[in-house]
Amino acid sequence: MTPASAASAVSAGRLATLLVSAPTSGPGYLALAHRLRELVGDGRLPVGTRLPSERALAAALGRGRATVTRAYDVLREQAYLESRQGSGSITRLPVSHAGRTDHLLVPRGSTEDSIDLTIATLPAPPGTADAYRAAVEELPAYLLGTGYYPTGLPALREAVADRYTRRGLATSPAQVVVVAGALAGLAVTAQVLTRPGDRVLVESPTYPNPLSTLQARGVRLVATAVDPGHGWDVDAVRQLVRAPRMRAAYLIPDFHNPTGALMPTEVRHELARVLAAAGVTPVVDESMVDLALDDAPLPAPFAAHSPGAFSIGSASKAFWGGLRIGWVRAPADRVDAVAAARLSLDLASPLLEQLTLLEMLRDEGPIRRHHRERVTASRAALLGALARELPDWRSVPGRGGLSLWCRLPAPLSSALSVAAERHGLYLAAGPSFAPEGGLERHVRLPHTLPGPLLEEAVRRLARAWADAPAVARRGAGGTSGRSPVVA
Ligand SMILES: Cc1ncc(COP(=O)(O)O)c(C=O)c1O
């Protein structure tokens, strides 16, 4: 890993406050190193921050200088700190802990200075390591049991049910089945609701991975358009649901991925009515619902208008993807079918992660605020850079979500993504989000990376856009189709 360049410095006084506000047990240099490592690990001391001198921190903490010196030495050994002549001690993360190391998620050919815009998800918020630690503390109480909770840890089912009830959808814990993320929830639900040869209504554009899940089940997809400015077309849905064997409708009404659109209450109501009249079950993906970027009240959940709907939730976006926890909220008389379907895939979700999520849910305000501040700042940086570098691209920022769905002046999205790779930029082209092909006039741009990185990404994007027509003429664009992994 190349040496981190210092983005900012933290003063001795500020660092002493961070350290003191969350003391660890056991005094001495190891405890100090441990706490500093946590602050770096969960982002409260961002990578690239210059730490105060050993003398200054020792004075601020009222400790001996040797304690700080030895703590810094430990951090250097563990690759959390890098000291360079003239630059002081700069925070970093060990290579093995950084980034997306699974080869399926790292775009082919990417290097350390590549910028990856194929994934719209956030790093773990501050306090995640603390939540895991608190969960470990609770673990002994469970160790004499089997550890298997096929429908989920009762306390977590209760907490999830309470959240639905608070959002305006009365829910009992018995209606909640905890699964390994929203995609697993969709796979389980598809098993309950569909048979090979059935039809499922999907939005276009839509989040791509469920399309593969549905297709693997032998289901035929029928697409209805969602537009960031105009939203859902209920009249079109009314026509489409007349097709034979139309069983379910996969919808993302709460900060739709990729457009960020939020379905208004009256559209929820009308769409629910149209689907119910046609005997089509809504499958409502609420993975993004906690990513509102303002304080205005949100509409009640779609299922509040549709008693037969299945709702799917996830901790991946609102908390952290590494938890791998999601859930299905089903109508009371369908929960047994959901549980049976889940047992055909896996037996239960990991106990430690369920306990950890429960900890995070106990005090989710700070986590929400942290994510919101980061996403808001990143989105402003992205919009500003696009206005400067690519003024003829169009986007309609929604009230929430993690990405912009940009309209290009020409249908060159696949050529653009091929051209971008040559500038070290990885994109998910429009066709990745298209259930029936097309969408070459669009590209999804996530605003989850820090602002300065997004500004650099847009500079590369502008260069790639200039190259895209030539790439398309050579026939190198337009054929990339759906990317294997877009998250
Ligand atoms: C709309 C939507 N559904 C599902 C998922 C996958 O969520 P999980 O990580 O919980 O499987 C994502 C993640 O990008 C998403 O945006």
Side-chain angles (χ1 to χ4, degrees):
M1 190 172 183
T2 49
S5 58
S8 61
V10 60
S11 73
R14 162 87 184 137
L15 184 51
T17 314
L18 285 173
L19 288 163
V20 169
S21 65
T24 46
S25 55
Y29 72 96
L30 281 179
L32 179 59
H34 177 79
R35 195 60 204 155
L36 281 165
R37 202 170 57 224
E38 280 183 357
L39 291 174
V40 178
D42 73 13
R44 273 174 281 190
L45 268 182
V47 169
T49 303
R50 185 185 306 115
L51 295 191
S53 72
E54 293 156 11
R55 187 160 37 83
L57 184 58
L61 288 172
R63 300 270 189 95
R65 183 168 168 186
T67 304
V68 179
T69 303
R70 291 181 75 189
Y72 279 17
D73 283 345
V74 169
L75 292 176
R76 262 189 294 274
E77 267 164 36
Q78 296 175 341
Y80 280 85
L81 204 59
E82 183 170 29
S83 296
R84 276 178 292 152
Q85 204 84 51
S87 311
S89 298
I90 293 161
T91 56
R92 53 171 288 185
L93 282 174
V95 172
S96 60
H97 292 183
R100 296 158 44 183
T101 46
D102 190 293
H103 70 284
L104 273 182
L105 288 181
V106 179
R108 226 168 347 127
S110 65
T111 60
E112 242 185 51
D113 59 23
S114 303
I115 303 178
D116 180 6
L117 295 186
T118 64
I119 189 156
T121 196
L122 294 162
T128 303
D130 291 335
Y132 266 96
R133 228 184 327 278
V136 168
E137 292 284 314
E138 287 185 35
L139 207 49
Y142 295 88
L143 293 179
L144 288 180
T146 63
Y148 285 63
Y149 292 93
T151 53
L153 191 66
L156 181 58
R157 297 174 79 196
E158 200 178 317
V160 169
D162 282 353
R163 288 176 111 221
Y164 279 113
T165 303
R166 283 199 302 273
R167 286 175 55 210
L169 175 62
T171 300
S172 89
Q175 285 178 268
V176 175
V177 176
V178 176
V179 293
L183 192 56
L186 182 86
V188 164
T189 305
Q191 201 167 313
V192 173
L193 294 177
T194 65
R195 298 283 166 270
D198 286 346
R199 289 187 170 79
V200 172
L201 187 77
V202 295
E203 297 155 335
S204 176
T206 190
Y207 174 64
N209 297 320
L211 301 182
S212 316
T213 307
L214 291 167
Q215 280 165 333
R217 221 173 137 65
V219 158
R220 286 174 285 178
L221 304 178
V222 177
T224 179
V226 176
D227 176 274
H230 302 102
W232 286 256
D233 183 346
V234 180
D235 287 335
V237 172
R238 195 176 281 115
Q239 302 299 319
L240 291 169
V241 292
R242 292 194 184 139
R245 299 189 64 178
M246 183 67 80
R247 299 283 180 249
Y250 170 63
L251 306 169
I252 315 174
D254 299 281
F255 310 124
H256 176 257
N257 186 356
T259 65
L262 178 66
M263 190 186 286
T265 297
E266 55 286 4
V267 178
R268 289 172 196 242
H269 187 73
E270 189 57 17
L271 203 48
R273 224 175 46 83
V274 165
L275 295 176
V280 174
T281 304
V283 178
V284 187
D285 184 337
E286 300 181 327
S287 297
M288 296 280 184
V289 70
D290 295 311
L291 293 158
L293 298 181
D294 61 33
D295 285 322
L298 289 177
F302 190 96
H305 305 272
S306 173
F310 286 61
S311 306
I312 296 174
S314 172
S316 294
K317 306 287 165 166
F319 297 93
W320 186 43
L323 289 164
R324 304 310 314 138
I325 299 287
W327 51 87
V328 178
R329 178 207 181 270
D333 60 347
R334 310 300 296 277
V335 181
D336 287 350
V338 172
R342 139 7 101 70
L343 287 173
S344 74
L345 296 174
D346 67 352
L347 293 180
S349 298
L351 181 56
L352 183 64
E353 270 68 15
Q354 294 187 73
L355 288 169
T356 304
L357 178 58
L358 203 48
E359 279 299 323
M360 294 173 104
L361 284 170
R362 283 195 181 116
D363 190 19
E364 59 179 305
I367 296 176
R368 290 232 202 166
R369 278 195 294 282
H370 172 84
H371 280 331
R372 181 188 290 191
E373 277 165 24
R374 177 182 169 123
V375 175
T376 305
S378 293
R379 187 169 81 168
L382 178 61
L383 285 167
L386 285 169
R388 281 192 301 280
E389 304 279 345
L390 292 159
D392 52 354
W393 286 27
R394 294 282 168 264
S395 61
V396 183
R399 276 185 50 201
L402 295 176
S403 58
L404 288 180
W405 182 240
C406 289
R407 185 171 164 82
L408 310 174
L412 290 172
S413 192
S414 296
L416 172 69
S417 72
V418 172
E421 285 184 20
R422 297 176 195 163
H423 296 279
L425 177 67
Y426 292 85
L427 298 174
S432 296
F433 302 88
E436 295 175 331
L439 296 181
E440 278 289 352
R441 264 193 189 270
H442 289 88
V443 67
R444 183 185 77 166
L445 300 181
H447 37 77
T448 49
L449 294 174
L453 210 51
L454 287 175
E455 283 161 6
E456 172 58 19
V458 174
R459 285 191 283 276
R460 295 183 192 188
L461 200 55
R463 294 202 287 276
W465 183 240
D467 299 345
V471 171
R473 275 196 299 278
R474 286 200 300 275
T479 54
S480 67
R482 195 178 300 153
S483 320
V485 180
V486 170

